[in-house]
């Protein structure tokens, strides 16, 4: 229960330290995410062509799609950690509930009208991570600007 209502003390949850670290690691995480995205976009086709069977020849398009998901995962992890360090557990729980609701809607849709291809699935994951990214970014910036 102490993590649900953390106190700002000298030892933990010093919001000024969190704000400084957030600004520093946001730039580092963004650069790392961008490098990983470029690496995935450039190397997935080469790896599939050189190391896998010809039957996987149509996969680079799907791997390239996943290259967009990796940076979002990095940035979501950073934003979630910052929100947790600032004691905004209720907000992060709401974000998770909204994103889980999106996935539940997809599951219900798929149960009623089964989806044949994977393209809709990939776009749903991208939408899910994008919503999480926007909500966590908004919460982190709003919390840091207030403090």
């Amino acid at each position: 229960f102490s993590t649900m209502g953390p106190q700002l003390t000298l030892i933990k949850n010093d919001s000024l330290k969190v704000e400084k670290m957030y600004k520093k690691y946001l730039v580092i995480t963004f650069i790392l995410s961008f490098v990983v995205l470029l690496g995935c976009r450039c190397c997935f086709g080469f790896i599939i062509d050189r190391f896998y069977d010809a039957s996987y020849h149509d996969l680079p398009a799907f791997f390239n799609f996943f290259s967009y998901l990796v940076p979002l995962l990095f940035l979501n992890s950073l934003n979630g950690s910052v929100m947790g360090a600032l004691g905004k557990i209720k907000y992060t729980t709401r974000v998770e509930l909204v994103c889980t609701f999106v996935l539940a809607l997809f599951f219900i849709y798929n149960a009623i009208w089964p989806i044949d291809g994977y393209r809709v699935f990939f776009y749903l994951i991208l939408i899910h991570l994008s919503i999480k990214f926007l909500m966590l970014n908004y919460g982190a910036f709003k919390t840091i600007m207030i403090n």
Side-chain angles (χ1 to χ4, degrees):
F1 288 105
S2 65
T3 58
M4 298 188 98
Q7 302 295 318
L8 291 175
T9 65
L10 294 174
I11 297 171
K12 75 174 189 180
N13 292 333
D14 184 356
S15 61
L16 192 57
K17 285 183 183 176
V18 172
E19 182 178 343
K20 278 198 245 178
M21 289 181 70
Y22 180 69
K23 289 176 182 174
K24 175 183 172 184
Y25 287 111
L26 180 65
V27 172
I28 292 170
T29 305
F30 182 78
I31 291 170
L32 178 65
S33 300
F34 190 71
V35 168
V36 168
L37 180 136
L38 289 178
C40 291
R41 291 286 297 171
C42 296
C43 295
F44 276 152
F46 174 78
I47 291 169
I48 292 295
D49 289 342
R50 299 289 186 265
F51 300 108
Y52 288 94
D53 191 71
S55 61
Y56 294 114
H57 191 65
D58 61 337
L59 288 181
F62 294 119
F63 280 121
N64 288 334
F65 184 83
F66 278 115
S67 71
Y68 295 111
L69 302 181
V70 173
L72 282 175
L73 288 171
F74 286 170
L75 294 169
N76 285 344
S77 176
L78 175 69
N79 287 328
S81 298
V82 166
M83 294 299 287
L86 291 171
K88 301 295 180 181
I89 305 300
K90 289 180 184 176
Y91 183 79
T92 56
T93 303
R94 272 186 259 144
V95 169
E96 289 299 329
L97 287 174
V98 167
C99 292
T100 303
F101 181 71
V102 168
L103 292 177
L105 287 177
F106 173 72
F107 178 75
I108 292 168
Y109 177 83
N110 192 31
I112 296 170
W113 298 287
I115 297 171
D116 293 336
Y118 287 105
R119 191 168 303 278
V120 174
F121 172 74
F122 292 141
Y123 283 114
L124 178 81
I125 299 298
L126 183 63
I127 290 168
H128 165 78
L129 289 175
S130 297
I131 289 171
K132 185 182 283 189
F133 171 73
L134 291 173
M135 290 180 76
L136 287 174
N137 243 2
Y138 171 76
F141 285 134
K142 183 179 174 188
T143 302
I144 286 175
M145 293 298 197
I146 290 172
N147 290 333

